[in-house]
Amino acid sequence: MKISELRQERKDHYKGKYTLARWDKFKYRKLNKIMYVRRSGRADHDTYSDCIIMADTETSKSAPGVISENHVCAFTLSIRAYHENIVTLYGSRPSDFVKMLLRLKDYISGDKTIIYFHNLSYDWVFLRKFLMQEFGTPKKLLATKPHFPIYIEFENGIILKDSLILAQRSLEKWALDMDVEHKKAVGKWDYDKIRSQENAKFSPEELEYIEHDTLAGVECLDKLMEQLSKRIYSMPYTATGIPREESRKRGKKNRAREDFERMAAESYLTQIKLENVYHGGYTHANRHYIGVTIEKDIYAMDFTSSYPFCMLAFKYPMTQFRPFRNLSVKEILDNSAGYAYIFKLILINVKLRSDSIPMPALQYSKCVKDINACIDNGRILCANYIEIYMNEIDLAVIEKQYTWEKSACIEVEYAEKDYLPRWFTDYVFECFTNKTMLKGGDPVAYALAKSVVNSLYGMTVQKPCREEITENYITGEYEVGSGNYEELYEKYLKNHNSILNYAWGVWVTSYAFSNLFKLGSCCGLWLYSDTDSCYGKNWDMEAVEKYNDWCRELLRNNNYGPVIRDNKQYWLGVVDIEVHDQFRTMGAKRYAYRDGNELYITVAGVPKKKGRLCLENDIENFSDGFIFPGSKTGKQTHTYFFSEDIHIDKDGNEVGDSIDLSPCDYLLSSVTRVDWESIFNEEVEVQVYEE
């Protein structure tokens, strides 16, 4: 019988037989129809259980209002195969969770069994001691940063993977975006209730809540696998992995590897310089209007797919960087059309040209040396001396904003500029086209298309030498190893999968940075910026339209036009406009605005929907000293507890390691205001750089 026929036979076998059962009441032999699959072309010959599994835990405090050890009070595990939900198993003790996995391994075929958690970093802490007691320490752990593992593999073939980093959204939103059958049962679980593992009983509403968590997960994964034409063993780890794999396929057909070898930084020192130049997005608030409510006709100008536009519209370093002599600012700017530069910029007695400039561009955190820098929410207003790495695109913005007594560009390296390879820009444009054409249609296809577009830039700025993050399996702490980076970089250069030049991602953010200031110059009162958007009043709409025309012309110069849908043109890079009735900011990532009767907020770390209710529909409450109560917003702080061994608490609960989630208030504060007239009064001895 063919594999496709076998899969159909298994599908027919499981159709309509889904069950919800306690882990110890289920007849596991029902799972013996699940087949295994093997990676084609692999030498290890490992087989994988041909099913999608999602697990989850719910936890409880031991006492209300006390920061202390927490414990698992419920767990679920759902299995889906051949597009059919088969079973959801549940229980309350973490030791039973491990016993359940052992039974699964006895009845599900395959050397390796992958189990997803939506936010593995949380569940792993509660389960780690119980899993390692039975399975031993993991043979492999991959973490993106301390306390954030995304892949854990044991010797017995059990593999834990994180789906949150793949979905890039909450389970609730993922289920809605993917339009799966089982949505998250919001509101049917009381997180403040003190629960015990002993004789745990769940109400119908509570069972529905924990059941839907993992059912929604396996259904979302199934739809994503189908869209990507993947098997369980070939699913990417992260959202960025989706376009990266497709890029490698296309690059292989277009000699991308040979191009990479011609342009990648030859030495690790040059790579480090590129990483110093990279600065990410620009977020800032006009210091003169902190805590001031602006009324009527506040225009929010948002770029359409800002980073993908930059990939298509501008020219990038397309040869290896080569050392050059020291240059002046003018020399670099005069030659910036044809050449890309990386260098250390030294400025003596630098200051903004005027106090009226609302958005200072120099980033204090990127300075490698400074003397008497005067800071406005992370941006430099003036300084007696600074050293900072940058490129020619950033320099053009800095030169328009600041004056200085002396300057020097040292450690200069240059490369020739050209458009990105056609195979890559065509893929970027294709992804934007797919997203545009799918909007309002199939929600699953659109969600995936949108995720891919948002991930395109991310894959260009993956550091070639990552810090080695390891977990101490005794203490639970993570250690960041330095490693031999030069050796790692050599391996990166020789890796045949390396085809995307890190410098491209660096220049993408620089071009987007430049575009933001170009658009901001059209604004009479520039109030706020956030990477790809400008908020302000008194816009010169004719200038804005000229900016849009400039974007269209840049695309045409590289033979790209609009995406046409329903007789409407959709251009990358051009500005979309929203109009707000009120606007108020307290600094970067802290602003509120009103549309009609509705008030909206963006405050880093405060949930938007619940946070805005705390203002009681009065924007004036969005002020210095206002407290967003954690009890109302749901904002929580994490406290880790790592114990020496598994123990039983006074209520009979099995406890290993745990995390306490406690309501956390957020104090809204303004940025420090600066007295412009007094910032140059202090006398210092200026350090002058010597060759």
Side-chain angles (χ1 to χ4, degrees), residues 27-55:
K27 295 180 180 178
Y28 287 80
R29 64 175 178 272
K30 292 181 179 179
L31 303 175
N32 60 15
K33 287 281 188 179
I34 294 175
M35 300 188 300
Y36 65 79
V37 286
R38 192 190 305 276
R39 280 180 180 267
S40 58
R42 293 286 178 128
D44 56 19
H45 303 298
D46 283 335
T47 59
Y48 291 77
S49 304
D50 190 19
C51 58
I52 305 167
I53 304 176
M54 174 77 81

Side-chain angles (χ1 to χ4, degrees), residues 589-629:
K589 294 294 184 184
R590 288 167 285 176
Y591 64 91
Y593 63 86
R594 178 183 297 282
D595 288 341
N597 293 324
E598 298 294 331
L599 199 58
Y600 301 89
I601 68 164
T602 292
V603 178
V606 175
K608 291 185 178 183
K609 291 181 180 179
K610 293 181 179 179
R612 66 178 183 148
L613 296 177
C614 298
L615 297 176
E616 297 179 340
N617 206 29
D618 185 354
I619 201 169
E620 295 298 321
N621 287 332
F622 195 78
S623 301
D624 195 8
F626 182 83
I627 294 175
F628 289 94

Side-chain angles (χ1 to χ4, degrees), residues 530-597:
D530 194 351
T531 305
D532 58 358
S533 61
C534 294
Y535 292 75
K537 279 178 69 75
N538 308 323
W539 285 87
D540 182 341
M541 299 308 294
E542 190 173 315
V544 172
E545 191 49 43
K546 285 183 179 178
Y547 175 86
N548 285 338
D549 288 340
W550 175 72
C551 291
R552 297 182 187 105
E553 186 62 25
L554 287 174
L555 290 170
R556 290 192 191 98
N557 290 343
N558 197 19
N559 297 310
Y560 290 103
V563 174
I564 300 175
R565 177 179 173 228
D566 298 332
N567 296 318
K568 183 179 178 180
Q569 293 187 352
Y570 294 86
W571 288 85
L572 284 151
V574 300
V575 172
D576 286 330
I577 303 173
E578 291 184 359
V579 184
H580 305 310
D581 299 317
Q582 287 182 311
F583 183 87
R584 185 180 177 95
T585 180
M586 299 303 294
K589 294 294 184 184
R590 288 167 285 176
Y591 64 91
Y593 63 86
R594 178 183 297 282
D595 288 341
N597 293 324

Side-chain angles (χ1 to χ4, degrees), residues 22 94 111 201 224 258 324 407 583 606 644 668 672 685:
R22 274 190 58 90
D111 302 319
K201 293 182 180 180
L224 183 59
E258 290 88 336
F324 202 59
S407 65
F583 183 87
V606 175
E644 290 187 7
L668 186 64
T672 304
E685 180 181 348

Side-chain angles (χ1 to χ4, degrees), residues 44 59 119 135 196 234 247:
D44 56 19
T59 59
N119 194 4
F135 301 162
S196 172
S234 61
S247 294

Side-chain angles (χ1 to χ4, degrees), residues 14-20 78-79 85-88 211 215:
Y14 285 118
K15 190 169 185 178
K17 295 181 181 178
Y18 168 77
T19 185
L20 170 68
S78 293
I79 303 175
N85 291 332
I86 298 174
V87 66
T88 296
E211 176 190 24
L215 279 180

Side-chain angles (χ1 to χ4, degrees), residues 133-148:
Q133 185 181 61
E134 186 66 40
F135 301 162
T137 57
K139 64 181 287 188
K140 180 179 179 182
L141 182 145
L142 175 64
T144 55
K145 55 184 178 179
H147 295 292
F148 279 87

